[in-house]
Amino acid sequence: MKLNKLLQAIMLSAPLILAGCSDDDDSSGPLGSDTRALNFVRVATLPVCTQINADCDTDTETAAEIVDVSEDGKTLIYTDSPRGVIGFVDITTPDAPAPLGTLDLAGEPTSVAVKGRYALVGVNTSASLEEPSGELAVVDIASRTLVTTINLGGQPDSVAVSPDKAYAAIAIENERDEDIDDGRIDRTPQAPAGYLVVADISAADPADWATRNVDLTGLALIAPTDPEPEYVDINSDNMAVVTLQENNHLVLVDLASAGVADHFSAGEVSLGQVDTAEEDIISQTGSLSNIVREPDGVTWIDSNHFVTADEGDMNGGSRGFTVFNTSGEVVFASGNQLEHLTARLGHYPEGRSENKGNEPENAEFGRYGDRPLLFINSERSSIVAVYDVTDPRSPEFLQTLPAAAGPEGVKAIPGRNLLVVASEEDDRGTFRGAVNVYRYGEQDATYPAIQSTDRNDGTPIPFAALSGLAADQSDTSRLWSIEDSAFRASRIFGLDVSTTPASLDREIRITDGNGVLAALPTVGAAADDNAFDDTDLDALINDDSTVNLDPEGIAVASGGGFWVASEGSGTVGDSSRPVESLNLIVKTDTQGVITDVVTLPDDLNNMQRRFGFEGVAEYNGKLYVAFQRAWDSEANPRIGIYDPATESWTFVFYPLDAAESQNGGWVGLSDLASLGDGRFLVLERDNQSGPDAAIKRVYRVNLATATAESTISKTLVRDLIPDLKATGGMVPEKVEGLTVTASGEVWINNDNDGVDDNSGENQLIHIGNMADL
């Protein structure tokens, strides 16, 4: 081992000894066992609905918003505002966090910080925005009981405890009604004003704690009579930094005297090469000028520097983070870094382009051994960016961590080489609120699974919503994928899987330059208002000849180019979801120009359902396409077999598994891949995610011996649930892509829905060789 690696290992081991980790604590051990780089790896994700039901079989909305940890590093305490509780989680074994129950509070818990045996919880008890009230609940962590409450006189938003445990600082926001000014920056003041509460907590008995209020009016240039403190953090000198987000201001408060030591505007940023239009295309060609930072979360990185997460509410969002010194000088501004990072990893939320983009929400600092690390939560992209801030003037980007949807709270636990992130978004249909646990050590990073290279203009190739997957049979290190209807101007992507992470290094626009798609005949339907007509066809083709398909499957054509299966939109006979596009197999050349279009027979088009074409494969001169679900009154979905030589179709029926999820739902097909001998792998999944996911499976079928209109048989090859859980995250709903390389390697991927009501996580997983499955 090189000397610097050895020194890092020794330094990283020290906190573990100081924390008193026992032999049965398998969270981590003394580092230095190998020479891999130091990285964080996600080891577990606990859906906090497990506090209600062990299987999360509940529709109750729950969340993990702000999180802290007991002083021994083994019990997490998080706020759950939808339920009005704080939750407790045992992380003695970080790989297997266990729910310990919840404690009901008298209102909405907004923040939590730990002092010794106690958790200090800000609780919003306001009757209305005009009548704010709140209290500090002091909770015994071991017994999970309320010890006492302290009246705060207003609505608390953030709680921090000083490193020496002598003080607590509570930001009293007294939140304004945002609808009154409708986005204006010159905000109308709304009484009562917010302020900071300083609590003297050095006494052993919370009954002896005393509070002092710090007036913050008259400081900001924006609405000076109406300060709205958002977040607070305290350094080793007992200096608090307070963000006044709506006022775009920063205040330094000396806690010993409970007086304002300094204050300054958070300033403005101007950004180039960012996406500023919500047009279903990620186009990082726009710019924003003089955008107020409006910082949200803040963290000290040393006694002279702090970092703000610049969420930015106004005029398109400030979209980054800033390092300030205590004189109010900007020593580093991240600019468009996070916008480009999230686009490079397939996490950019295009639907937020006119708002706040990736929306940085919070910041945290921790010293792991001798390495000072900064963590930035991106709320809308659901990632955590990790930086080395040895030089505050030039933070060094290290890695990106995936999180459950909407990461808000973040807590560094250096004494155990852990990091914890709380994700607040919860919707049983798509994702669950969760606590994410990461371990730091000498290990390979496991995320991202895919990252893109740069375009000629220096911006990353943006991508998301990857659907089907195909192997290049002439190059075992090359896979191909596509984006679905989450985006206009459909693209094909090339992936180099010889690198880790896989490199998305090619993008090919599908175009109708030869007018092949434009010549597609319109099709009548059982009801005139469900006909596919010229209006629908026009919507598929843009003025520049790019096309707006719903590509769900892709195959590499044996003669060159690609076959793309585009799922039809709409259902015959359904006026609420009328037919807007047909199911198509589109042939392109290697440059993406359409050379042929194949449609279904009219009798099938006239019974179309919206769950149409998914995967496509080519074998022995014929095309095989999977329908996602059964149409009309048919019992099972079809697999269509198209012979280009005779321009004829035959069909067989695929026997889907019955739904097994505790949440019901449906089961359908997502992709298929040829094994080269008339047999195929088929990807079958339910429409459930997280704890509700039950069916993510690969089956093998033999289509060489199947007769037309028969129901084929299948053989289970792989249950994918263990593979998906092995990432440390929650099981994604849309496992959409499946392919087999010429050497027999099997790959799968998921569709992240274009980061729309989705964490954005992209997984590309090699599940093994066919010889071993």
Side-chain angles (χ1 to χ4, degrees):
M1 178 182 291
K2 294 181 180 180
L3 179 59
N4 64 334
K5 289 285 187 181
L6 179 60
L7 290 174
Q8 286 178 326
I10 293 171
M11 292 300 294
L12 280 164
S13 300
L16 295 173
I17 298 169
L18 293 174
C21 296
S22 62
D23 291 342
D24 61 355
D25 179 358
D26 65 351
S27 65
S28 53
L31 302 177
S33 56
D34 56 45
T35 59
R36 288 177 290 181
L38 292 162
N39 285 296
F40 286 90
V41 168
R42 182 178 58 189
V43 296
T45 301
L46 177 74
V48 294
C49 47
T50 55
Q51 300 276 22
I52 302 172
N53 178 280
D55 297 320
C56 271
D57 191 7
T58 175
D59 293 334
T60 300
E61 181 185 0
T62 186
E65 187 172 4
I66 301 299
V67 64
D68 206 340
V69 67
S70 58
E71 292 194 348
D72 66 359
K74 296 185 178 182
T75 302
L76 301 179
I77 308 96
Y78 66 87
T79 61
D80 181 345
S81 60
R83 295 184 60 211
V85 304
I86 56 170
F88 302 85
V89 178
D90 180 1
I91 58 166
T92 301
T93 304
D95 307 66
L100 291 173
T102 61
L103 175 66
D104 290 330
L105 296 171
E108 174 196 11
T110 58
S111 186
V112 61
V114 168
K115 178 244 180 358
R117 58 184 289 195
Y118 301 117
L120 282 58
V121 186
V123 182
N124 176 17
T125 60
S126 303
S128 67
L129 294 177
E130 295 75 21
E131 300 177 276
S133 64
E135 60 189 27
L136 187 68
V138 182
V139 175
D140 184 277
I141 297 171
S143 64
R144 302 189 291 280
T145 58
L146 181 65
V147 175
T148 190
T149 60
I150 299 171
N151 181 30
L152 297 172
Q155 173 225 329
D157 197 10
S158 172
V159 180
V161 170
S162 62
D164 64 4
K165 311 300 181 183
Y167 299 101
I170 305 99
I172 306 299
E173 182 178 13
N174 288 347
E175 188 176 6
R176 70 199 319 275
D177 184 350
E178 293 291 339
D179 294 332
I180 289 180
D181 291 328
D182 193 25
R184 285 169 43 205
I185 194 169
D186 54 335
R187 301 176 186 279
T188 303
Q190 295 178 34
Y195 49 93
L196 184 73
V197 173
V198 177
D200 299 293
I201 60 172
S202 56
D205 188 346
D208 296 327
W209 295 354
T211 62
R212 295 168 287 167
N213 291 355
V214 181
D215 181 10
L216 301 175
T217 59
L219 305 179
L221 296 175
I222 299 172
T225 63
D226 183 26
E228 291 188 59
E230 185 80 20
Y231 213 91
V232 60
D233 195 38
I234 306 169
N235 70 12
S236 57
D237 296 328
N238 285 332
M239 183 71 71
V241 57
V242 185
T243 61
L244 309 186
Q245 182 174 22
E246 309 299 334
N247 313 89
N248 195 42
H249 212 70
L250 298 161
V251 182
L252 299 179
V253 176
D254 177 68
L255 298 183
S257 64
V260 173
D262 205 350
H263 66 93
F264 29 81
S265 169
E268 300 174 340
V269 299
S270 293
L271 303 172
Q273 293 187 313
V274 294
D275 192 349
T276 59
E278 294 171 14
E279 54 189 359
D280 296 331
I281 295 176
I282 302 175
S283 177
Q284 296 188 311
T285 57
S287 61
L288 294 167
S289 298
N290 302 321
I291 305 301
V292 289
R293 284 190 168 88
E294 290 191 301
D296 192 344
V298 63
T299 185
W300 290 94
I301 59 175
D302 60 38
S303 59
N304 297 310
H305 298 89
F306 58 87
V307 176
T308 59
D310 303 330
E311 181 182 26
D313 281 338
M314 309 301 297
N315 305 323
S318 45
R319 309 185 181 209
F321 67 93
T322 306
V323 183
F324 290 89
N325 64 22
T326 51
S327 297
E329 298 168 330
V330 173
V331 301
F332 174 83
S334 67
N336 60 20
Q337 269 190 24
L338 294 180
E339 294 287 279
H340 288 187
L341 173 64
T342 54
R344 188 181 303 283
L345 304 185
H347 277 258
Y348 180 74
E350 202 284 325
R352 299 289 297 175
S353 292
E354 293 176 9
N355 257 302
K356 311 176 193 176
N358 78 90
E359 196 169 327
E361 179 76 11
N362 209 346
E364 169 72 333
F365 173 79
R367 184 174 294 276
Y368 290 75
D370 62 350
R371 204 173 195 188
L373 299 181
L374 171 68
F375 308 92
I376 302 291
N377 284 5
S378 172
E379 180 179 14
R380 295 291 178 171
S381 297
S382 298
I383 59 99
V384 182
V386 186
Y387 291 82
D388 185 315
V389 286
T390 299
D391 181 357
R393 298 166 299 178
S394 182
E396 176 191 358
F397 171 74
L398 298 178
Q399 67 176 125
T400 306
L401 306 175
E408 173 92 10
V410 51
K411 180 63 180 180
I413 313 175
R416 297 192 65 205
N417 289 316
L418 299 175
L419 175 76
V420 174
V421 173
S423 292
E424 65 176 334
E425 295 296 325
D426 185 82
D427 182 337
R428 187 175 188 181
T430 50
F431 40 71
R432 306 296 331 220
V435 171
N436 312 264
V437 184
Y438 311 85
R439 178 185 288 119
Y440 184 63
E442 287 190 355
Q443 57 200 339
D444 295 330
T446 58
Y447 200 81
I450 305 170
Q451 67 179 15
S452 70
T453 59
D454 284 344
R455 289 172 164 171
N456 290 335
D457 65 359
T459 64
I461 298 173
F463 73 97
L466 298 185
S467 191
L469 201 60
D472 193 318
Q473 296 304 305
S474 63
D475 182 354
T476 56
S477 66
R478 172 67 59 184
L479 303 182
W480 299 92
S481 189
I482 47 178
E483 61 186 358
D484 65 21
S485 60
F487 299 101
R488 298 170 55 250
S490 306
R491 291 178 295 170
I492 296 168
F493 298 107
L495 302 170
D496 179 359
V497 295
S498 68
T499 65
T500 302
S503 176
L504 190 151
D505 57 4
R506 293 196 62 187
E507 61 174 334
I508 302 170
R509 292 279 181 196
I510 302 176
T511 62
D512 192 38
N514 296 328
V516 177
L517 182 61
L520 184 71
T522 57
V523 177
D528 289 344
D529 62 350
N530 278 278
F532 175 74
D533 56 27
D534 291 332
T535 302
D536 298 317
L537 182 58
D538 290 343
L540 297 181
I541 306 171
N542 301 313
D543 291 342
D544 61 356
S545 83
T546 59
V547 297
N548 308 320
L549 302 175
D550 185 8
E552 296 287 355
I554 184 170
V556 178
S558 56
F562 304 93
W563 296 104
V564 175
S566 178
E567 185 175 22
S569 172
T571 293
V572 169
D574 186 345
S575 59
S576 65
R577 290 184 172 179
V579 172
E580 295 179 348
S581 63
L582 299 177
N583 290 272
L584 308 172
I585 300 178
V586 174
K587 174 68 166 60
T588 79
D589 64 17
T590 57
Q591 302 305 308
V593 179
I594 296 174
T595 59
D596 195 12
V597 177
V598 179
T599 64
L600 287 168
D602 282 354
D603 60 338
L604 277 181
N605 283 329
N606 287 337
M607 58 184 284
Q608 176 174 309
R609 296 296 180 268
R610 66 186 183 94
F611 299 100
F613 284 178
E614 285 291 314
V616 64
E618 180 186 347
Y619 166 66
N620 200 24
K622 295 181 180 180
L623 302 178
Y624 297 77
V625 60
F627 291 47
Q628 186 171 66
R629 295 177 64 190
W631 282 11
D632 201 15
S633 60
E634 294 175 344
N636 288 301
R638 296 171 181 250
I639 294 178
I641 305 167
Y642 181 74
D643 187 342
T646 61
E647 298 184 349
S648 61
W649 284 95
T650 57
F651 299 93
V652 296
F653 291 95
Y654 178 91
L656 286 173
D657 290 345
E660 298 174 16
S661 171
Q662 61 189 8
N663 196 37
W666 51 260
V667 179
L669 299 182
S670 278
D671 208 349
L672 77 171
S674 171
L675 294 175
D677 56 0
R679 297 179 305 153
F680 291 77
L681 294 184
V682 178
L683 179 58
E684 188 173 339
R685 70 168 179 90
D686 57 19
N687 67 332
Q688 303 296 312
S689 62
D692 290 324
I695 296 176
K696 317 291 179 189
R697 296 169 184 164
V698 177
Y699 285 95
R700 185 177 62 249
V701 299
N702 189 340
L703 298 182
T705 60
T707 57
E709 304 300 316
S710 67
T711 299
I712 61 176
S713 60
K714 63 183 183 181
T715 302
L716 179 65
V717 172
R718 183 85 161 199
D719 179 358
L720 298 174
I721 296 285
D723 298 289
L724 298 166
K725 287 184 175 179
T727 66
M730 284 189 277
V731 176
E733 176 204 346
K734 294 187 176 181
V735 185
E736 293 270 280
L738 166 72
T739 194
V740 183
T741 69
S743 58
E745 306 302 326
V746 183
W747 294 83
I748 61 169
N749 71 284
N750 72 292
D751 175 359
N752 72 2
D753 274 339
V755 203
D756 184 10
D757 289 334
N758 194 292
S759 71
E761 185 163 334
N762 288 292
Q763 290 294 345
L764 176 67
I765 302 175
H766 173 233
I767 64 172
N769 189 281
M770 275 302 301
D772 302 317
L773 298 179

